[in-house]
Amino acid sequence: MISIKWAKLIKSLHLKKYRKAEQLFFVEGEKAVLEVLASGWTVPALFATDAFIQQHSLAVKAAAMLQPCSSDELVKNGTYSSNDAALAVVAMPQWPLFSAKAHSWTLVLDNINDPGNLGTIIRIADWYGIEHILCSPDTADCYNPKVIAAAKGSFLRVQLHYLPLADALAHASLPVYGAYLGGENVHQLKLEAAGGYIVLGNEANGISNDIGQLVSRQITIPAFGGAESLNVGIAAAVICDNLLRLSH
Amino acid sequence: MISIKWAKLIKSLHLKKYRKAEQLFFVEGEKAVLEVLASGWTVPALFATDAFIQQHSLAVKAAAMLQPCSSDELVKNGTYSSNDAALAVVAMPQWPLFSAKAHSWTLVLDNINDPGNLGTIIRIADWYGIEHILCSPDTADCYNPKVIAAAKGSFLRVQLHYLPLADALAHASLPVYGAYLGGENVHQLKLEAAGGYIVLGNEANGISNDIGQLVSRQITIPAFGGAESLNVGIAAAVICDNLLRLSH
Protein backbone atom coordinates (compact mmCIF):
# COMPACT_ATOMS: atom_id res chain seq x y z
CA MET A 1 0.00 0.00 0.00
CA ILE A 2 1.15 3.54 -0.73
CA SER A 3 1.35 5.29 2.64
CA ILE A 4 -0.67 8.49 3.14
CA LYS A 5 2.49 10.55 3.43
CA TRP A 6 3.84 9.32 0.08
CA ALA A 7 0.47 9.51 -1.67
CA LYS A 8 0.32 13.16 -0.66
CA LEU A 9 3.83 13.78 -1.95
CA ILE A 10 3.17 12.07 -5.31
CA LYS A 11 -0.05 14.05 -5.73
CA SER A 12 1.88 17.27 -5.08
CA LEU A 13 4.46 16.33 -7.74
CA HIS A 14 1.78 16.69 -10.42
CA LEU A 15 2.40 20.44 -10.00
CA LYS A 16 5.52 22.29 -11.04
CA LYS A 17 5.81 24.41 -7.89
CA TYR A 18 6.01 21.35 -5.63
CA ARG A 19 8.40 19.55 -8.00
CA LYS A 20 10.63 22.62 -7.82
CA ALA A 21 10.38 22.93 -4.03
CA GLU A 22 11.10 19.24 -3.45
CA GLN A 23 13.53 18.83 -6.39
CA LEU A 24 11.68 15.60 -7.13
CA PHE A 25 9.54 14.27 -9.99
CA PHE A 26 7.94 10.92 -10.81
CA VAL A 27 8.27 8.37 -13.59
CA GLU A 28 5.55 5.84 -14.45
CA GLY A 29 5.26 2.66 -16.47
CA GLU A 30 7.28 -0.54 -16.46
CA LYS A 31 9.77 0.34 -19.21
CA ALA A 32 10.55 3.89 -18.10
CA VAL A 33 10.82 2.92 -14.43
CA LEU A 34 13.26 0.11 -15.30
CA GLU A 35 15.36 2.59 -17.31
CA VAL A 36 15.47 4.98 -14.33
CA LEU A 37 16.43 2.17 -11.93
CA ALA A 38 19.29 1.16 -14.23
CA SER A 39 20.48 4.74 -14.79
CA GLY A 40 22.22 5.44 -11.50
CA TRP A 41 19.89 8.36 -10.76
CA THR A 42 18.73 8.74 -7.17
CA VAL A 43 15.35 7.07 -6.61
CA PRO A 44 14.13 7.94 -3.08
CA ALA A 45 11.00 5.79 -3.42
CA LEU A 46 9.56 3.11 -5.67
CA PHE A 47 5.94 1.91 -5.70
CA ALA A 48 5.29 -1.25 -7.65
CA THR A 49 2.99 -4.23 -7.97
CA ASP A 50 4.04 -7.58 -6.52
CA ALA A 51 4.35 -8.94 -10.08
CA PHE A 52 6.77 -6.15 -11.04
CA ILE A 53 8.83 -6.62 -7.88
CA GLN A 54 9.10 -10.39 -8.39
CA GLN A 55 10.02 -10.03 -12.05
CA HIS A 56 12.63 -7.32 -11.43
CA SER A 57 13.89 -8.29 -7.99
CA LEU A 58 17.44 -7.09 -8.68
CA ALA A 59 16.52 -3.85 -10.43
CA VAL A 60 14.25 -2.67 -7.60
CA LYS A 61 17.20 -2.66 -5.18
CA ALA A 62 18.33 0.60 -6.80
CA ALA A 63 15.49 2.42 -5.01
CA ALA A 64 16.16 3.75 -1.49
CA MET A 65 12.71 2.61 -0.42
CA LEU A 66 10.21 0.16 -1.91
CA GLN A 67 6.47 0.00 -1.19
CA PRO A 68 4.49 -2.82 -2.83
CA CYS A 69 1.06 -1.64 -3.94
CA SER A 70 -1.77 -2.43 -6.34
CA SER A 71 -2.12 -1.25 -9.91
CA ASP A 72 -5.28 0.62 -8.83
CA GLU A 73 -3.31 2.62 -6.26
CA LEU A 74 -0.77 3.59 -8.92
CA VAL A 75 -3.55 4.71 -11.25
CA LYS A 76 -5.16 6.70 -8.42
CA ASN A 77 -1.96 8.60 -7.62
CA GLY A 78 -0.30 8.87 -11.02
CA THR A 79 -1.48 9.88 -14.48
CA TYR A 80 -2.17 6.48 -16.05
CA SER A 81 -5.80 5.67 -16.74
CA SER A 82 -5.27 1.92 -16.25
CA ASN A 83 -2.75 -0.90 -15.94
CA ASP A 84 0.21 0.74 -14.31
CA ALA A 85 2.90 -1.49 -12.76
CA ALA A 86 5.39 0.90 -11.18
CA LEU A 87 5.96 4.52 -10.21
CA ALA A 88 9.34 5.89 -9.15
CA VAL A 89 9.91 9.13 -7.27
CA VAL A 90 13.16 10.48 -8.70
CA ALA A 91 15.57 13.25 -7.63
CA MET A 92 16.14 15.91 -10.29
CA PRO A 93 19.64 15.76 -11.72
CA GLN A 94 22.04 18.67 -11.31
CA TRP A 95 23.40 19.16 -14.80
CA PRO A 96 26.70 21.04 -15.17
CA LEU A 97 26.37 24.56 -16.59
CA PHE A 98 25.89 24.53 -20.37
CA SER A 99 28.79 25.41 -22.59
CA ALA A 100 28.73 24.82 -26.35
CA LYS A 101 31.19 22.26 -27.68
CA ALA A 102 32.74 22.74 -31.15
CA HIS A 103 31.05 20.71 -33.92
CA SER A 104 28.13 19.73 -31.75
CA TRP A 105 24.47 20.58 -32.19
CA THR A 106 22.25 22.18 -29.55
CA LEU A 107 18.48 22.55 -29.73
CA VAL A 108 16.99 25.86 -28.59
CA LEU A 109 13.28 25.95 -27.68
CA ASP A 110 11.62 29.35 -27.68
CA ASN A 111 8.40 28.92 -25.65
CA ILE A 112 7.35 25.38 -26.59
CA ASN A 113 4.09 25.10 -24.63
CA ASP A 114 2.80 21.61 -25.18
CA PRO A 115 4.30 18.96 -22.85
CA GLY A 116 3.77 16.25 -25.50
CA ASN A 117 5.75 18.28 -28.03
CA LEU A 118 8.57 18.86 -25.53
CA GLY A 119 8.76 15.14 -24.69
CA THR A 120 8.81 14.24 -28.38
CA ILE A 121 11.63 16.74 -29.00
CA ILE A 122 13.69 15.28 -26.12
CA ARG A 123 13.31 11.80 -27.69
CA ILE A 124 14.35 13.18 -31.10
CA ALA A 125 17.38 14.94 -29.61
CA ASP A 126 18.43 11.64 -28.03
CA TRP A 127 17.98 9.78 -31.35
CA TYR A 128 20.23 12.27 -33.13
CA GLY A 129 22.81 12.38 -30.34
CA ILE A 130 22.05 15.98 -29.36
CA GLU A 131 23.04 16.22 -25.70
CA HIS A 132 21.78 19.68 -24.79
CA ILE A 133 18.50 21.56 -25.16
CA LEU A 134 18.26 25.21 -24.15
CA CYS A 135 14.73 26.18 -23.13
CA SER A 136 13.25 29.64 -22.64
CA PRO A 137 11.92 29.98 -19.06
CA ASP A 138 8.33 29.89 -20.44
CA THR A 139 8.83 26.52 -22.19
CA ALA A 140 6.89 23.61 -20.63
CA ASP A 141 8.53 22.07 -17.55
CA CYS A 142 10.59 19.03 -18.52
CA TYR A 143 9.58 17.18 -15.33
CA ASN A 144 5.86 17.42 -16.15
CA PRO A 145 4.59 13.77 -16.17
CA LYS A 146 3.36 14.22 -19.78
CA VAL A 147 6.83 15.29 -20.90
CA ILE A 148 8.43 12.35 -19.11
CA ALA A 149 5.91 9.95 -20.72
CA ALA A 150 6.50 11.31 -24.24
CA ALA A 151 10.30 11.39 -23.83
CA LYS A 152 10.38 7.57 -23.31
CA GLY A 153 13.52 7.40 -21.16
CA SER A 154 15.41 9.92 -23.29
CA PHE A 155 15.15 12.46 -20.42
CA LEU A 156 17.93 10.43 -18.79
CA ARG A 157 20.38 11.26 -21.57
CA VAL A 158 19.49 14.76 -22.78
CA GLN A 159 20.35 17.76 -20.59
CA LEU A 160 17.77 20.54 -20.50
CA HIS A 161 18.82 24.04 -19.47
CA TYR A 162 16.18 26.69 -18.70
CA LEU A 163 17.67 30.13 -19.21
CA PRO A 164 17.10 33.44 -20.98
CA LEU A 165 17.80 32.46 -24.59
CA ALA A 166 18.90 35.92 -25.72
CA ASP A 167 21.82 35.88 -23.27
CA ALA A 168 22.88 32.40 -24.35
CA LEU A 169 22.69 33.14 -28.09
CA ALA A 170 24.13 36.67 -27.99
CA HIS A 171 27.61 35.28 -27.44
CA ALA A 172 27.23 32.18 -29.65
CA SER A 173 30.42 31.28 -31.50
CA LEU A 174 28.57 28.69 -33.63
CA PRO A 175 25.94 29.43 -36.31
CA VAL A 176 22.35 29.90 -35.11
CA TYR A 177 19.84 28.17 -37.41
CA GLY A 178 16.18 29.09 -37.02
CA ALA A 179 13.17 27.17 -38.37
CA TYR A 180 11.02 29.53 -40.47
CA LEU A 181 8.63 29.37 -43.39
CA GLY A 182 10.40 30.87 -46.39
CA GLY A 183 14.05 30.36 -45.36
CA GLU A 184 16.81 28.33 -47.06
CA ASN A 185 15.69 24.87 -48.21
CA VAL A 186 17.23 22.28 -45.85
CA HIS A 187 17.60 19.87 -48.78
CA GLN A 188 19.97 22.27 -50.53
CA LEU A 189 21.79 23.68 -47.54
CA LYS A 190 25.58 23.84 -47.50
CA LEU A 191 27.13 24.00 -44.04
CA GLU A 192 30.37 25.86 -43.36
CA ALA A 193 31.06 23.46 -40.53
CA ALA A 194 29.25 20.88 -38.42
CA GLY A 195 27.57 22.09 -35.27
CA GLY A 196 25.47 25.00 -34.14
CA TYR A 197 22.21 25.98 -32.54
CA ILE A 198 18.82 24.94 -33.94
CA VAL A 199 16.05 27.31 -32.79
CA LEU A 200 12.42 26.14 -32.79
CA GLY A 201 9.60 28.54 -32.00
CA ASN A 202 6.27 28.48 -30.23
CA GLU A 203 3.50 26.24 -31.65
CA ALA A 204 1.25 29.17 -32.60
CA ASN A 205 3.59 32.15 -32.95
CA GLY A 206 6.91 30.75 -34.10
CA ILE A 207 10.23 32.25 -33.02
CA SER A 208 9.86 35.50 -31.03
CA ASN A 209 11.27 38.71 -32.50
CA ASP A 210 14.14 39.20 -30.08
CA ILE A 211 15.36 35.64 -30.53
CA GLY A 212 14.81 35.88 -34.30
CA GLN A 213 17.32 38.75 -34.39
CA LEU A 214 20.00 36.37 -33.15
CA VAL A 215 19.32 33.76 -35.86
CA SER A 216 22.13 33.75 -38.43
CA ARG A 217 20.45 31.44 -40.98
CA GLN A 218 16.72 30.96 -41.54
CA ILE A 219 15.99 27.41 -42.72
CA THR A 220 12.86 25.73 -44.05
CA ILE A 221 11.57 22.23 -44.74
CA PRO A 222 10.49 22.19 -48.40
CA ALA A 223 6.77 21.58 -48.97
CA PHE A 224 5.55 19.61 -51.98
CA GLY A 225 1.81 19.61 -51.22
CA GLY A 226 -1.04 21.55 -49.67
CA ALA A 227 -0.42 21.51 -45.89
CA GLU A 228 0.33 24.94 -44.45
CA SER A 229 2.56 23.79 -41.62
CA LEU A 230 4.01 20.87 -39.72
CA ASN A 231 3.77 20.15 -35.99
CA VAL A 232 6.86 21.47 -34.15
CA GLY A 233 7.94 17.94 -33.11
CA ILE A 234 7.81 16.80 -36.74
CA ALA A 235 9.70 19.90 -37.86
CA ALA A 236 12.36 19.31 -35.19
CA ALA A 237 12.91 15.75 -36.42
CA VAL A 238 13.17 16.65 -40.10
CA ILE A 239 15.55 19.57 -39.43
CA CYS A 240 17.78 17.50 -37.12
CA ASP A 241 17.81 14.71 -39.70
CA ASN A 242 18.96 17.08 -42.45
CA LEU A 243 21.59 18.88 -40.37
CA LEU A 244 23.01 15.60 -39.03
CA ARG A 245 23.07 14.17 -42.57
CA LEU A 246 24.97 17.24 -43.80
CA SER A 247 27.51 17.09 -40.98
CA HIS A 248 28.44 13.39 -41.19
CA MET B 1 -29.84 25.56 -30.33
CA ILE B 2 -28.84 22.13 -31.58
CA SER B 3 -32.08 20.22 -32.08
CA ILE B 4 -32.49 16.89 -30.26
CA LYS B 5 -32.49 14.99 -33.53
CA TRP B 6 -29.15 16.47 -34.60
CA ALA B 7 -27.60 16.21 -31.14
CA LYS B 8 -28.41 12.50 -31.22
CA LEU B 9 -26.87 12.13 -34.67
CA ILE B 10 -23.67 13.99 -33.73
CA LYS B 11 -23.32 11.86 -30.60
CA SER B 12 -23.69 8.72 -32.73
CA LEU B 13 -20.93 9.93 -35.08
CA HIS B 14 -18.38 9.57 -32.27
CA LEU B 15 -18.56 5.85 -33.08
CA LYS B 16 -17.24 4.23 -36.24
CA LYS B 17 -20.25 1.95 -36.81
CA TYR B 18 -22.66 4.90 -37.00
CA ARG B 19 -20.26 6.96 -39.16
CA LYS B 20 -20.12 4.01 -41.53
CA ALA B 21 -23.89 3.47 -41.54
CA GLU B 22 -24.65 7.17 -42.12
CA GLN B 23 -21.59 7.85 -44.34
CA LEU B 24 -21.14 11.00 -42.28
CA PHE B 25 -18.51 12.37 -39.89
CA PHE B 26 -17.97 15.68 -38.09
CA VAL B 27 -15.32 18.38 -38.12
CA GLU B 28 -14.77 20.81 -35.23
CA GLY B 29 -12.95 24.06 -34.64
CA GLU B 30 -13.02 27.36 -36.50
CA LYS B 31 -10.07 26.76 -38.85
CA ALA B 32 -10.94 23.20 -39.88
CA VAL B 33 -14.65 24.00 -40.34
CA LEU B 34 -13.78 26.96 -42.58
CA GLU B 35 -11.53 24.72 -44.67
CA VAL B 36 -14.35 22.19 -45.08
CA LEU B 37 -16.84 24.90 -46.05
CA ALA B 38 -14.43 26.19 -48.71
CA SER B 39 -13.61 22.71 -50.03
CA GLY B 40 -16.74 21.93 -52.03
CA TRP B 41 -17.44 18.86 -49.87
CA THR B 42 -21.08 18.22 -48.96
CA VAL B 43 -21.93 19.67 -45.54
CA PRO B 44 -25.47 18.57 -44.59
CA ALA B 45 -25.43 20.56 -41.35
CA LEU B 46 -23.43 23.27 -39.63
CA PHE B 47 -23.69 24.27 -35.96
CA ALA B 48 -21.95 27.49 -35.03
CA THR B 49 -21.95 30.35 -32.56
CA ASP B 50 -23.50 33.69 -33.55
CA ALA B 51 -20.04 35.24 -33.58
CA PHE B 52 -18.77 32.63 -36.04
CA ILE B 53 -21.82 33.05 -38.29
CA GLN B 54 -21.51 36.84 -38.36
CA GLN B 55 -17.78 36.73 -39.05
CA HIS B 56 -18.10 34.12 -41.81
CA SER B 57 -21.51 34.98 -43.25
CA LEU B 58 -20.55 34.01 -46.81
CA ALA B 59 -18.66 30.82 -45.93
CA VAL B 60 -21.56 29.38 -43.90
CA LYS B 61 -23.78 29.40 -47.01
CA ALA B 62 -21.91 26.30 -48.18
CA ALA B 63 -23.78 24.24 -45.56
CA ALA B 64 -27.17 22.77 -46.52
CA MET B 65 -28.52 23.65 -43.08
CA LEU B 66 -27.32 26.04 -40.37
CA GLN B 67 -28.26 25.97 -36.68
CA PRO B 68 -26.89 28.76 -34.46
CA CYS B 69 -25.94 27.48 -31.03
CA SER B 70 -23.75 28.23 -28.02
CA SER B 71 -20.14 27.21 -27.50
CA ASP B 72 -21.29 25.12 -24.52
CA GLU B 73 -23.63 23.10 -26.75
CA LEU B 74 -20.76 22.42 -29.16
CA VAL B 75 -18.55 21.28 -26.29
CA LYS B 76 -21.35 19.07 -24.97
CA ASN B 77 -21.86 17.31 -28.30
CA GLY B 78 -18.36 17.31 -29.76
CA THR B 79 -14.92 16.39 -28.41
CA TYR B 80 -13.58 19.82 -27.46
CA SER B 81 -13.16 20.49 -23.76
CA SER B 82 -13.81 24.23 -24.13
CA ASN B 83 -14.15 27.17 -26.51
CA ASP B 84 -15.52 25.59 -29.65
CA ALA B 85 -17.02 27.88 -32.32
CA ALA B 86 -18.31 25.54 -35.01
CA LEU B 87 -19.05 21.91 -35.83
CA ALA B 88 -19.83 20.67 -39.34
CA VAL B 89 -21.49 17.36 -40.19
CA VAL B 90 -19.79 16.27 -43.40
CA ALA B 91 -20.55 13.59 -46.01
CA MET B 92 -17.73 11.09 -46.56
CA PRO B 93 -16.10 11.52 -49.94
CA GLN B 94 -16.19 8.73 -52.50
CA TRP B 95 -12.61 8.52 -53.70
CA PRO B 96 -11.95 6.83 -57.05
CA LEU B 97 -10.36 3.39 -56.82
CA PHE B 98 -6.62 3.59 -56.10
CA SER B 99 -4.17 2.97 -58.89
CA ALA B 100 -0.47 3.76 -58.58
CA LYS B 101 0.87 6.51 -60.82
CA ALA B 102 4.43 6.30 -62.15
CA HIS B 103 6.97 8.38 -60.20
CA SER B 104 4.57 9.09 -57.38
CA TRP B 105 4.84 8.07 -53.74
CA THR B 106 2.18 6.21 -51.78
CA LEU B 107 2.15 5.64 -48.02
CA VAL B 108 1.10 2.21 -46.77
CA LEU B 109 -0.02 1.87 -43.14
CA ASP B 110 0.08 -1.61 -41.66
CA ASN B 111 -2.16 -1.46 -38.56
CA ILE B 112 -1.48 2.07 -37.28
CA ASN B 113 -3.64 2.05 -34.13
CA ASP B 114 -3.38 5.48 -32.64
CA PRO B 115 -5.74 8.10 -34.13
CA GLY B 116 -3.29 10.92 -33.30
CA ASN B 117 -0.54 9.12 -35.23
CA LEU B 118 -2.83 8.57 -38.22
CA GLY B 119 -3.87 12.24 -38.28
CA THR B 120 -0.24 13.34 -38.05
CA ILE B 121 0.69 11.03 -40.94
CA ILE B 122 -2.14 12.45 -43.10
CA ARG B 123 -0.79 15.97 -42.47
CA ILE B 124 2.76 14.84 -43.34
CA ALA B 125 1.54 13.17 -46.56
CA ASP B 126 -0.15 16.43 -47.53
CA TRP B 127 3.02 18.45 -46.79
CA TYR B 128 5.07 16.17 -49.03
CA GLY B 129 2.45 16.06 -51.80
CA ILE B 130 1.63 12.37 -51.28
CA GLU B 131 -1.95 12.00 -52.49
CA HIS B 132 -2.74 8.43 -51.47
CA ILE B 133 -2.47 6.41 -48.28
CA LEU B 134 -3.28 2.69 -48.29
CA CYS B 135 -4.46 1.47 -44.89
CA SER B 136 -4.84 -2.08 -43.63
CA PRO B 137 -8.44 -2.67 -42.53
CA ASP B 138 -7.30 -2.71 -38.86
CA THR B 139 -5.71 0.76 -39.08
CA ALA B 140 -7.55 3.49 -37.09
CA ASP B 141 -10.60 4.94 -38.85
CA CYS B 142 -9.69 8.15 -40.67
CA TYR B 143 -13.04 9.76 -39.76
CA ASN B 144 -12.42 9.37 -36.02
CA PRO B 145 -12.66 12.93 -34.57
CA LYS B 146 -9.13 12.60 -33.13
CA VAL B 147 -7.75 11.78 -36.59
CA ILE B 148 -9.60 14.72 -38.14
CA ALA B 149 -8.27 17.05 -35.42
CA ALA B 150 -4.66 15.91 -35.84
CA ALA B 151 -4.84 16.03 -39.66
CA LYS B 152 -5.57 19.81 -39.58
CA GLY B 153 -7.54 20.03 -42.84
CA SER B 154 -5.16 17.74 -44.72
CA PHE B 155 -7.88 15.04 -44.77
CA LEU B 156 -9.46 17.14 -47.54
CA ARG B 157 -6.50 16.57 -49.87
CA VAL B 158 -5.15 13.10 -49.07
CA GLN B 159 -7.12 10.05 -50.21
CA LEU B 160 -7.20 7.12 -47.78
CA HIS B 161 -7.97 3.64 -49.09
CA TYR B 162 -8.74 0.81 -46.63
CA LEU B 163 -7.96 -2.50 -48.27
CA PRO B 164 -6.04 -5.76 -47.76
CA LEU B 165 -2.46 -4.54 -48.17
CA ALA B 166 -1.08 -7.86 -49.38
CA ASP B 167 -3.34 -7.80 -52.44
CA ALA B 168 -2.40 -4.20 -53.25
CA LEU B 169 1.35 -4.77 -52.87
CA ALA B 170 1.54 -8.22 -54.50
CA HIS B 171 1.10 -6.66 -57.94
CA ALA B 172 3.13 -3.49 -57.26
CA SER B 173 5.12 -2.31 -60.26
CA LEU B 174 6.97 0.28 -58.14
CA PRO B 175 9.53 -0.46 -55.40
CA VAL B 176 8.14 -1.20 -51.93
CA TYR B 177 10.20 0.51 -49.19
CA GLY B 178 9.63 -0.62 -45.61
CA ALA B 179 10.69 1.20 -42.42
CA TYR B 180 12.77 -1.17 -40.28
CA LEU B 181 15.53 -0.99 -37.70
CA GLY B 182 18.70 -2.24 -39.35
CA GLY B 183 17.87 -1.59 -43.02
CA GLU B 184 19.61 0.67 -45.56
CA ASN B 185 20.51 4.11 -44.20
CA VAL B 186 18.12 6.68 -45.76
CA HIS B 187 20.93 9.24 -45.83
CA GLN B 188 22.94 7.07 -48.19
CA LEU B 189 20.14 5.60 -50.26
CA LYS B 190 20.34 5.64 -54.07
CA LEU B 191 16.99 5.42 -55.82
CA GLU B 192 16.62 3.70 -59.18
CA ALA B 193 13.72 6.00 -59.94
CA ALA B 194 11.36 8.36 -58.14
CA GLY B 195 8.17 6.90 -56.71
CA GLY B 196 7.10 3.80 -54.85
CA TYR B 197 5.37 2.57 -51.74
CA ILE B 198 6.50 3.50 -48.22
CA VAL B 199 5.32 0.93 -45.66
CA LEU B 200 5.03 1.90 -41.98
CA GLY B 201 4.21 -0.69 -39.34
CA ASN B 202 2.23 -0.90 -36.14
CA GLU B 203 3.38 1.25 -33.17
CA ALA B 204 4.33 -1.75 -31.02
CA ASN B 205 4.99 -4.57 -33.47
CA GLY B 206 6.26 -2.94 -36.64
CA ILE B 207 5.46 -4.31 -40.10
CA SER B 208 3.64 -7.66 -40.02
CA ASN B 209 5.36 -10.73 -41.49
CA ASP B 210 3.15 -11.18 -44.52
CA ILE B 211 3.48 -7.52 -45.53
CA GLY B 212 7.21 -7.61 -44.77
CA GLN B 213 7.62 -10.34 -47.42
CA LEU B 214 6.41 -7.87 -50.04
CA VAL B 215 8.92 -5.17 -49.05
CA SER B 216 11.64 -4.87 -51.69
CA ARG B 217 13.97 -2.55 -49.73
CA GLN B 218 14.26 -2.23 -45.96
CA ILE B 219 15.21 1.33 -44.99
CA THR B 220 16.25 2.91 -41.68
CA ILE B 221 16.67 6.36 -40.18
CA PRO B 222 20.24 6.52 -38.87
CA ALA B 223 20.56 6.96 -35.09
CA PHE B 224 23.38 9.01 -33.60
CA GLY B 225 22.39 8.77 -29.91
CA GLY B 226 20.79 6.60 -27.27
CA ALA B 227 17.07 6.48 -28.12
CA GLU B 228 15.85 3.03 -29.14
CA SER B 229 13.10 4.16 -31.49
CA LEU B 230 11.14 7.06 -32.90
CA ASN B 231 7.37 7.57 -32.85
CA VAL B 232 5.80 6.33 -36.12
CA GLY B 233 4.62 9.84 -37.07
CA ILE B 234 8.16 11.18 -36.66
CA ALA B 235 9.57 8.24 -38.63
CA ALA B 236 7.04 8.84 -41.43
CA ALA B 237 8.10 12.48 -41.71
CA VAL B 238 11.83 11.78 -41.79
CA ILE B 239 11.46 8.97 -44.34
CA CYS B 240 9.19 11.03 -46.61
CA ASP B 241 11.61 13.95 -46.35
CA ASN B 242 14.55 11.78 -47.43
CA LEU B 243 12.73 10.03 -50.29
CA LEU B 244 11.30 13.30 -51.60
CA ARG B 245 14.76 14.91 -51.37
CA LEU B 246 16.26 12.03 -53.34
CA SER B 247 13.60 12.16 -56.04
CA HIS B 248 13.68 15.92 -56.76
Side-chain angles (χ1 to χ4, degrees):
Chain A
M1 229 188 78
I2 303 179
S3 65
I4 292 172
K5 182 195 116 190
W6 279 104
K8 229 170 137 177
L9 182 82
I10 296 167
K11 278 286 181 198
S12 79
L13 297 180
H14 287 251
L15 295 176
K16 182 178 173 180
K17 68 172 176 178
Y18 296 112
R19 291 195 295 269
K20 201 177 163 191
E22 302 284 351
Q23 291 288 301
L24 295 171
F25 66 106
F26 65 84
V27 175
E28 298 166 279
E30 181 156 359
K31 200 155 184 296
V33 167
L34 286 174
E35 277 203 67
V36 170
L37 292 171
S39 68
W41 288 30
T42 303
V43 179
L46 173 65
F47 308 90
T49 60
D50 288 332
F52 181 94
I53 295 168
Q54 277 169 29
Q55 213 184 330
H56 308 290
S57 52
L58 275 175
V60 299
K61 291 188 200 295
M65 192 211 65
L66 172 62
Q67 287 187 359
C69 65
S70 70
S71 177
D72 285 355
E73 282 179 279
L74 292 171
V75 167
K76 199 176 145 205
N77 290 284
T79 67
Y80 274 42
S81 55
S82 65
N83 275 334
D84 198 5
L87 184 154
V89 173
V90 184
M92 290 184 186
Q94 299 300 328
W95 299 121
L97 235 57
F98 171 73
S99 69
K101 271 192 293 182
H103 309 304
S104 69
W105 294 99
T106 300
L107 280 173
V108 180
L109 307 184
D110 184 11
N111 189 14
I112 297 295
N113 273 327
D114 181 79
N117 285 341
L118 178 58
T120 298
I121 291 171
I122 294 171
R123 189 173 171 196
I124 291 164
D126 189 26
W127 180 270
Y128 286 105
I130 294 172
E131 291 172 13
H132 298 277
I133 301 180
L134 309 186
C135 301
S136 64
D138 52 3
T139 286
D141 176 35
C142 66
Y143 298 111
N144 179 317
K146 288 181 194 164
V147 176
I148 296 295
K152 300 271 183 216
S154 289
F155 66 87
L156 293 163
R157 290 174 292 269
V158 179
Q159 303 181 23
L160 278 85
H161 310 271
Y162 287 78
L163 72 195
L165 298 182
D167 296 355
L169 294 179
H171 308 288
S173 54
L174 297 171
V176 180
Y177 298 86
Y180 283 88
L181 296 170
E184 290 180 77
N185 180 339
V186 290
H187 289 178
Q188 284 148 18
L189 219 54
K190 300 241 183 308
L191 304 187
E192 294 144 45
Y197 297 87
I198 305 165
V199 185
L200 300 164
N202 173 262
E203 288 89 343
N205 306 314
I207 297 173
S208 59
N209 285 338
D210 55 330
I211 301 305
Q213 286 173 4
L214 300 165
V215 167
S216 48
R217 285 179 86 173
Q218 299 195 357
I219 58 174
T220 297
I221 301 169
F224 300 86
E228 277 173 35
S229 65
L230 289 168
N231 163 283
V232 66
I234 299 288
V238 173
I239 288 172
C240 289
D241 186 75
N242 277 280
L243 292 176
L244 269 287
R245 171 178 58 77
L246 291 164
S247 54
H248 272 83
Chain B
M1 226 189 79
I2 303 178
S3 65
I4 293 172
K5 183 194 117 193
W6 278 104
K8 226 170 140 178
L9 182 82
I10 296 167
K11 278 285 180 198
S12 78
L13 298 181
H14 287 250
L15 295 177
K16 182 178 173 180
K17 68 172 176 178
Y18 295 112
R19 290 194 296 269
K20 201 177 164 190
E22 303 284 350
Q23 291 289 298
L24 295 171
F25 66 106
F26 66 84
V27 175
E28 298 166 279
E30 181 156 0
K31 198 154 186 294
V33 167
L34 286 174
E35 278 205 66
V36 170
L37 291 171
S39 68
W41 287 31
T42 302
V43 178
L46 173 65
F47 307 90
T49 60
D50 288 330
F52 181 94
I53 295 168
Q54 278 170 28
Q55 212 185 331
H56 308 290
S57 54
L58 275 175
V60 299
K61 291 188 199 296
M65 192 211 65
L66 172 63
Q67 287 186 359
C69 65
S70 68
S71 177
D72 285 355
E73 281 179 280
L74 293 171
V75 167
K76 199 177 147 203
N77 289 284
T79 67
Y80 274 42
S81 55
S82 65
N83 275 334
D84 199 4
L87 184 153
V89 173
V90 184
M92 290 183 187
Q94 299 300 327
W95 300 120
L97 235 56
F98 171 73
S99 69
K101 272 192 293 184
H103 310 305
S104 69
W105 294 100
T106 300
L107 280 174
V108 180
L109 307 184
D110 185 11
N111 189 14
I112 297 295
N113 273 328
D114 181 79
N117 285 340
L118 178 57
T120 298
I121 291 171
I122 293 170
R123 189 173 172 197
I124 291 163
D126 189 25
W127 179 271
Y128 286 105
I130 295 173
E131 291 171 14
H132 298 278
I133 301 180
L134 309 185
C135 301
S136 64
D138 51 5
T139 286
D141 176 35
C142 66
Y143 299 112
N144 179 318
K146 287 181 195 164
V147 176
I148 296 296
K152 300 268 182 218
S154 290
F155 66 87
L156 293 163
R157 290 174 292 269
V158 178
Q159 303 182 24
L160 278 85
H161 309 272
Y162 287 78
L163 72 195
L165 298 182
D167 297 357
L169 294 179
H171 307 289
S173 55
L174 297 171
V176 180
Y177 298 86
Y180 283 90
L181 296 171
E184 290 180 77
N185 179 339
V186 290
H187 289 177
Q188 284 148 16
L189 219 54
K190 301 242 182 308
L191 304 187
E192 293 143 45
Y197 297 87
I198 305 165
V199 185
L200 299 164
N202 172 263
E203 288 89 343
N205 306 314
I207 297 172
S208 60
N209 285 338
D210 54 331
I211 301 305
Q213 286 173 4
L214 300 165
V215 167
S216 49
R217 284 178 87 173
Q218 298 195 359
I219 58 175
T220 297
I221 301 168
F224 299 86
E228 277 174 35
S229 65
L230 289 169
N231 163 283
V232 67
I234 298 287
V238 173
I239 288 173
C240 289
D241 186 76
N242 277 281
L243 292 176
L244 270 285
R245 171 178 59 77
L246 290 164
S247 54
H248 272 83

